[in-house]
Amino acid sequence: MKINSEDFRVRPRKKVKLAKWPTLVEPVYGSKRHYRKLLQSHVERLSSLQQLLYAYNRYSLLIIFQAMDAAGKDGAISHVMSGVNPQGCNVYSFKHPSPAELEHDFLWRTTQVLPERGQIGIFNRSYYEEVLIVRVHPDILNSEGLPPASLESQTVWQDRYRSIVDLEEHLHRNGTVIIKFFLHLSAEEQRQRFLERIDEPDKNWKFSQADVEERAFWKQYMHAYEECLSATSTRNAPWYIVPADDKRNTRLIVSQIIVDTLASLEMTYPKVNKKRRQELQQIRKELAEEKA
C-alpha cells in the first residue's frame, strides 16, 4: 500500500460518519524490519525539512493530535518526531484547565504556546477538548465562568466551532501551517490495550479507573467527534482521520502526511548575495592562514 495523504483528509463541509471510516487498513509495511526502514526514511526527511523550515523562517507548523484514550498519540509523537531537533520543536499536553486558565476564554491557554516562525509546535489534545469532552460532559461548562446567556444558548457548540475556525484561518494568514490528526481507534482495540496496560506492570502507570469510566460514553464521544470534524475541517486547517488499530501503520501515515505538507510549501534556503560571499571568502582565507 502506498500512502496517499488525501485518502485520510476530511473534505471541507463533508458530513463525517466515523462508522464509514476504517480503524484498520492494509499495512504499509511488510515486516517489522520493513516498518523500521520506512519510518527511518520518513524521520530523516522530516529532519531535513525541519532545518529548511527554520532557515526559511516564513512558516511555523502546528500539529494537533486528538483521540480516545490508548489510541497512540504519545507513541506517534515520540516515534515520528524522533529525528527532529528539540530546539525547534515543542510538545504541549493539555489537561484540565487551571484556575488561572478558567479566567480566560477557552482559546487563551493554547494561544500562549503557539509555535514561532521556523518552529514546530505539537498539541497533544488541544482547544478541541472544549467541543469534545465538554460536550460529552456539559456540566464542565458550569465551571468555566461563562455568562448565563452563553450557558443557555442552543448554539454554544456551533459558536465554539466558529471561534476555532476563525482562529485557524487567522493563523494560516500569518504563516502557521496547521495539520490536525484524529487517531481513529476501535472500541475493541481500546479494550485490548487497556487489558495490556493492566497485565504488564511497566504499563500500569498508564491506566486509571477514569479511563474505563469514559468508555461508557463511547457513543457520545463518537457523535462529538463527528460533529467537530465535520464543522472544523477546512482547506487551510484540515483534519486527517488516521486508522489507529495498528500503531506502526498509524505512525507511517502520520509521518507521511507531515512530510507531504512541509514539502508542499516549496521553501528554499536563504540566498547569499555577492557581497556576503566575498566576506565569507575573506573570513575563510584568514582562518586557513591562521597558525595552529
Side-chain angles (χ1 to χ4, degrees), residues 206-260:
K206 290 185 174 184
F207 188 76
S208 71
Q209 182 62 32
D211 295 335
V212 174
E213 292 172 356
E214 287 302 286
R215 271 181 65 82
F217 298 95
W218 187 273
K219 289 184 179 180
Q220 292 92 320
Y221 272 110
M222 292 302 101
H223 175 70
Y225 269 109
E226 288 175 342
E227 293 293 305
C228 170
L229 297 169
S230 300
T232 61
S233 190
T234 64
R235 179 175 178 272
N236 297 321
W239 276 106
Y240 292 90
I241 300 178
V242 180
D245 282 5
D246 180 340
K247 292 180 180 180
R248 296 190 184 107
N249 224 32
T250 300
R251 295 163 189 166
L252 291 173
I253 293 169
V254 165
S255 56
Q256 185 67 66
I257 291 171
I258 296 173
V259 165
D260 289 347

Side-chain angles (χ1 to χ4, degrees), residues 170-189:
H170 167 76
L171 293 175
H172 169 75
R173 288 193 296 270
N174 286 274
T176 298
V177 178
I178 302 172
I179 309 173
K180 302 177 295 193
F181 293 110
F182 170 58
L183 304 189
H184 190 19
L185 184 73
S186 67
E188 173 58 21
E189 180 63 23

